[in-house]
Amino acid sequence: MNDISKSFSGVKVLDKVSLKIKPGEVHALMGENGAGKSTLMKILMGIYKSDSGSILLNGEAINITSPKDAISKGISMIHQELNPVLDMEVSENIFVGRELLKTGFEKLKIVDKSAMREETAKLFQSMNISINPKSITRRLSVAEMQLVEIVKAISLKSNIIIMDEPTSAITEKEVDVLFTQIEQLKNKGVAIIYISHKMDEIFKIADSITVLRDGVLAGTGDSKDFTRDKLISLMVGREIKEVYPKENAEIKETLLEIQDLCRGKRVNHVSFQLHSGEVLGIAGLVGSGRSELVETIFGIQPAVSGRILVKGKEVRIKHPKEAIAHKMAMITEDRKRTGLNLKSTVEQNISLVSIRKLAKYGIIDKKKEGTAAEQYIESLKIKTHSKKTPVISLSGGNQQKVVLAKWLLDEPEIIIFDEPTRGIDVGAKRDIYTLIGKLAKQGKGILVISSEMPEVMGISDRILVMSEGTIAGELKRDEFTQEAIMNFASARGGKII
Ligand SMILES: Nc1ncnc2c1ncn2[C@@H]1O[C@H](COP(=O)(O)OP(=O)(O)OP(=O)(O)O)[C@@H](O)[C@H]1O
Ligand SMILES: [Mg+2]
């Protein structure tokens, strides 16, 4: 890609960016949230048209007019924002746009469902993934959907595969599955463009690296020639140390107590306490019941039995609005489905939970709403053209910050974070860790689910490890090691999906 430029409504988001990819290499594309990574890749995929610049494939100038066109030219993409058709079954999603037809009936275009299921099963088997090809996609977890997207892109047999944050929702074991696949693809000469905010991954698999900063090429070269610090300073334009700014807040009274909570197999007799000033991590493999547990506490899927006590008093939570009334907040893992109203503006999304407080006699005080939004845009450094920008046009990481702002504005006391830094760059991650520390210092109780071991170990005071719907173990800060967590996580035969 040569000198690619692109503006959205007059704002330049890519300025003469060039990118060179060789066969058989993993080329990492790095940069802060909003740097322009996804936009550059969407141009390569024919989703957006560049304003200027050219694309050459094997030395020949080409014009990519649509994703279908890109695929026919041997380019496919795993999207950052997952886009499966939720009401179709898994196998139909894998073969969407290139459905297998019944042999002998090609002219009639009769889709061969069982052949597609069979092929999907084979693909899954070859990659050690045990998802049922017949499952309705809606029923899958975010991690499972991400795996389906990965399998789909690989099965297209492209020469160039773009992976836009492919591991944002999956756990370490599944990442290994993906990396094995990447290794095999490389051996076949397939080039991979790999976008991730996870430094460890980059240094593990990237052969070369290109860094974007604010839509401009900040650096490119062999990954051997980059150190972590160099990479970070290229991305953010300043030095940031990649450590966890853990502050020790005073841990005080019990804010939340869970007693023998049950809901089906995934929430199985769970008991624990969360204290004021405490950051309590919840670790575990995908499918261990972490999200289900917090969804039960928050009333999204109410408990079947057990008790929830807030500040020592038993409460009834059958719906999120009851949880909110008890000063709880929950930042869900899937911002697109459950965190945001994508078509509304940044401002409207931020005020969503606190709308009553911002209104007088049932009418929203626009000025108050605007001021609140501006405050959070500034304090969380949300990169947006204005507060009136539709949230859908923000980069992934900045959308996540809008979700945070929405909840913080409501001034909750018990805050549940489900994968809080999914898709967030190093600088912003640090901001969020600092924020979590600050909230703890203010006496709030914080529950954090995280699949990233260094993260959960870096920010928690205590970690509960879940396996098969129950708490398999508890670790205090001085007992944290990756091994100890993994041991508990697989204690009850936890397996990859
Ligand atoms: N469809 C769009 N309309 C308007 N602005 C857009 C659109 N898509 C992206 N942008 C803007 O372009 C800039 C680059 O966004 P992009 O999604 O490429 O960032 P990114 O590097 O992928 O970030 P992230 O790491 O958060 O995913 C952002 O400022 C974003 O708000
Ligand atoms: Mg992106």
Side-chain angles (χ1 to χ4, degrees), residues 307-326:
R307 301 182 349 132
I308 301 174
L309 289 82
V310 174
K311 291 186 177 167
K313 261 198 234 123
E314 181 167 0
V315 297
R316 204 192 78 123
I317 299 178
K318 299 264 176 238
H319 189 279
K321 71 181 177 206
E322 288 164 331
I324 293 168
H326 292 296

Tab-separated table of all heavy atoms in Angstrom, residues 307-326:
chain	number	residue	atom	x	y	z
A	307	ARG	N	-28.193	-16.037	48.074
A	307	ARG	CA	-28.492	-14.702	48.558
A	307	ARG	C	-27.448	-13.680	48.119
A	307	ARG	O	-26.276	-13.995	48.009
A	307	ARG	CB	-28.570	-14.695	50.094
A	307	ARG	CG	-29.638	-15.645	50.578
A	307	ARG	CD	-29.864	-15.721	52.081
A	307	ARG	NE	-28.941	-15.096	52.977
A	307	ARG	CZ	-29.320	-14.308	53.993
A	307	ARG	NH1	-30.598	-14.020	54.168
A	307	ARG	NH2	-28.429	-13.819	54.830
A	308	ILE	N	-27.924	-12.469	47.853
A	308	ILE	CA	-27.025	-11.362	47.552
A	308	ILE	C	-27.240	-10.306	48.635
A	308	ILE	O	-28.374	-9.879	48.863
A	308	ILE	CB	-27.328	-10.756	46.163
A	308	ILE	CG1	-27.176	-11.819	45.065
A	308	ILE	CG2	-26.412	-9.556	45.883
A	308	ILE	CD1	-27.587	-11.347	43.676
A	309	LEU	N	-26.167	-9.909	49.308
A	309	LEU	CA	-26.276	-8.890	50.347
A	309	LEU	C	-25.452	-7.664	49.970
A	309	LEU	O	-24.282	-7.798	49.606
A	309	LEU	CB	-25.775	-9.414	51.693
A	309	LEU	CG	-26.649	-10.451	52.405
A	309	LEU	CD1	-26.402	-11.843	51.852
A	309	LEU	CD2	-26.372	-10.434	53.897
A	310	VAL	N	-26.100	-6.517	50.001
A	310	VAL	CA	-25.375	-5.274	49.761
A	310	VAL	C	-25.282	-4.535	51.090
A	310	VAL	O	-26.308	-4.274	51.722
A	310	VAL	CB	-26.084	-4.412	48.695
A	310	VAL	CG1	-25.394	-3.053	48.556
A	310	VAL	CG2	-26.094	-5.127	47.343
A	311	LYS	N	-24.088	-4.244	51.522
A	311	LYS	CA	-23.822	-3.610	52.827
A	311	LYS	C	-24.571	-4.330	53.941
A	311	LYS	O	-25.206	-3.695	54.785
A	311	LYS	CB	-24.225	-2.141	52.788
A	311	LYS	CG	-23.324	-1.314	51.884
A	311	LYS	CD	-23.689	0.132	52.013
A	311	LYS	CE	-22.766	0.999	51.184
A	311	LYS	NZ	-23.267	2.362	51.054
A	312	GLY	N	-24.542	-5.634	53.898
A	312	GLY	CA	-25.115	-6.433	54.978
A	312	GLY	C	-26.611	-6.700	54.880
A	312	GLY	O	-27.165	-7.468	55.644
A	313	LYS	N	-27.271	-6.037	53.921
A	313	LYS	CA	-28.717	-6.258	53.794
A	313	LYS	C	-29.022	-7.111	52.575
A	313	LYS	O	-28.507	-6.837	51.495
A	313	LYS	CB	-29.419	-4.904	53.621
A	313	LYS	CG	-30.009	-4.409	54.927
A	313	LYS	CD	-31.057	-3.323	54.650
A	313	LYS	CE	-30.749	-2.061	55.431
A	313	LYS	NZ	-30.592	-0.867	54.670
A	314	GLU	N	-29.876	-8.102	52.761
A	314	GLU	CA	-30.215	-8.939	51.617
A	314	GLU	C	-31.021	-8.122	50.607
A	314	GLU	O	-31.923	-7.377	50.974
A	314	GLU	CB	-31.015	-10.167	52.045
A	314	GLU	CG	-31.330	-11.047	50.842
A	314	GLU	CD	-31.837	-12.432	51.180
A	314	GLU	OE1	-31.967	-12.758	52.373
A	314	GLU	OE2	-32.099	-13.190	50.227
A	315	VAL	N	-30.668	-8.256	49.334
A	315	VAL	CA	-31.404	-7.534	48.304
A	315	VAL	C	-31.925	-8.522	47.271
A	315	VAL	O	-31.430	-9.639	47.140
A	315	VAL	CB	-30.516	-6.476	47.594
A	315	VAL	CG1	-30.070	-5.412	48.569
A	315	VAL	CG2	-29.315	-7.129	46.927
A	316	ARG	N	-32.940	-8.062	46.554
A	316	ARG	CA	-33.526	-8.885	45.513
A	316	ARG	C	-33.103	-8.269	44.191
A	316	ARG	O	-33.411	-7.102	43.919
A	316	ARG	CB	-35.038	-8.816	45.670
A	316	ARG	CG	-35.800	-9.984	45.099
A	316	ARG	CD	-37.264	-9.607	45.075
A	316	ARG	NE	-37.485	-8.714	43.935
A	316	ARG	CZ	-38.363	-8.957	42.959
A	316	ARG	NH1	-39.097	-10.033	43.003
A	316	ARG	NH2	-38.500	-8.117	41.946
A	317	ILE	N	-32.369	-9.012	43.395
A	317	ILE	CA	-31.969	-8.453	42.098
A	317	ILE	C	-32.431	-9.386	40.986
A	317	ILE	O	-31.864	-10.446	40.760
A	317	ILE	CB	-30.436	-8.228	42.026
A	317	ILE	CG1	-30.005	-7.233	43.110
A	317	ILE	CG2	-30.035	-7.706	40.643
A	317	ILE	CD1	-28.523	-6.960	43.167
A	318	LYS	N	-33.524	-8.985	40.347
A	318	LYS	CA	-34.059	-9.808	39.261
A	318	LYS	C	-33.898	-9.113	37.920
A	318	LYS	O	-34.315	-9.614	36.883
A	318	LYS	CB	-35.561	-10.090	39.499
A	318	LYS	CG	-35.842	-10.850	40.773
A	318	LYS	CD	-35.966	-12.343	40.497
A	318	LYS	CE	-36.164	-13.141	41.782
A	318	LYS	NZ	-35.129	-14.164	41.972
A	319	HIS	N	-33.354	-7.916	37.966
A	319	HIS	CA	-33.250	-7.119	36.748
A	319	HIS	C	-32.113	-6.118	36.959
A	319	HIS	O	-31.907	-5.642	38.074
A	319	HIS	CB	-34.584	-6.381	36.526
A	319	HIS	CG	-34.674	-5.697	35.203
A	319	HIS	ND1	-34.094	-4.470	34.976
A	319	HIS	CD2	-35.247	-6.071	34.040
A	319	HIS	CE1	-34.319	-4.117	33.716
A	319	HIS	NE2	-35.010	-5.075	33.124
A	320	PRO	N	-31.373	-5.779	35.876
A	320	PRO	CA	-30.276	-4.820	36.058
A	320	PRO	C	-30.719	-3.519	36.723
A	320	PRO	O	-29.944	-2.905	37.449
A	320	PRO	CB	-29.794	-4.580	34.628
A	320	PRO	CG	-30.128	-5.831	33.902
A	320	PRO	CD	-31.408	-6.319	34.515
A	321	LYS	N	-31.963	-3.087	36.517
A	321	LYS	CA	-32.348	-1.802	37.119
A	321	LYS	C	-32.358	-1.888	38.639
A	321	LYS	O	-32.110	-0.893	39.310
A	321	LYS	CB	-33.654	-1.270	36.534
A	321	LYS	CG	-34.878	-1.997	36.906
A	321	LYS	CD	-36.079	-1.351	36.222
A	321	LYS	CE	-37.332	-2.132	36.545
A	321	LYS	NZ	-38.366	-2.024	35.547
A	322	GLU	N	-32.613	-3.104	39.169
A	322	GLU	CA	-32.523	-3.261	40.620
A	322	GLU	C	-31.068	-3.206	41.082
A	322	GLU	O	-30.747	-2.639	42.119
A	322	GLU	CB	-33.185	-4.569	41.050
A	322	GLU	CG	-34.694	-4.481	40.923
A	322	GLU	CD	-35.379	-5.833	40.967
A	322	GLU	OE1	-34.776	-6.858	40.568
A	322	GLU	OE2	-36.533	-5.871	41.407
A	323	ALA	N	-30.192	-3.788	40.267
A	323	ALA	CA	-28.766	-3.731	40.587
A	323	ALA	C	-28.287	-2.282	40.573
A	323	ALA	O	-27.581	-1.829	41.476
A	323	ALA	CB	-27.968	-4.563	39.580
A	324	ILE	N	-28.716	-1.533	39.577
A	324	ILE	CA	-28.323	-0.128	39.467
A	324	ILE	C	-28.851	0.655	40.671
A	324	ILE	O	-28.146	1.478	41.248
A	324	ILE	CB	-28.825	0.479	38.130
A	324	ILE	CG1	-28.083	-0.177	36.954
A	324	ILE	CG2	-28.619	1.999	38.105
A	324	ILE	CD1	-28.672	0.120	35.583
A	325	ALA	N	-30.082	0.343	41.088
A	325	ALA	CA	-30.648	1.017	42.258
A	325	ALA	C	-29.825	0.741	43.515
A	325	ALA	O	-29.770	1.558	44.428
A	325	ALA	CB	-32.093	0.569	42.464
A	326	HIS	N	-29.171	-0.403	43.566
A	326	HIS	CA	-28.293	-0.704	44.700
A	326	HIS	C	-26.872	-0.227	44.459
A	326	HIS	O	-25.928	-0.726	45.044
A	326	HIS	CB	-28.314	-2.207	45.010
A	326	HIS	CG	-29.628	-2.672	45.534
A	326	HIS	ND1	-30.143	-2.240	46.723
A	326	HIS	CD2	-30.562	-3.514	45.006
A	326	HIS	CE1	-31.330	-2.788	46.922
A	326	HIS	NE2	-31.609	-3.565	45.886
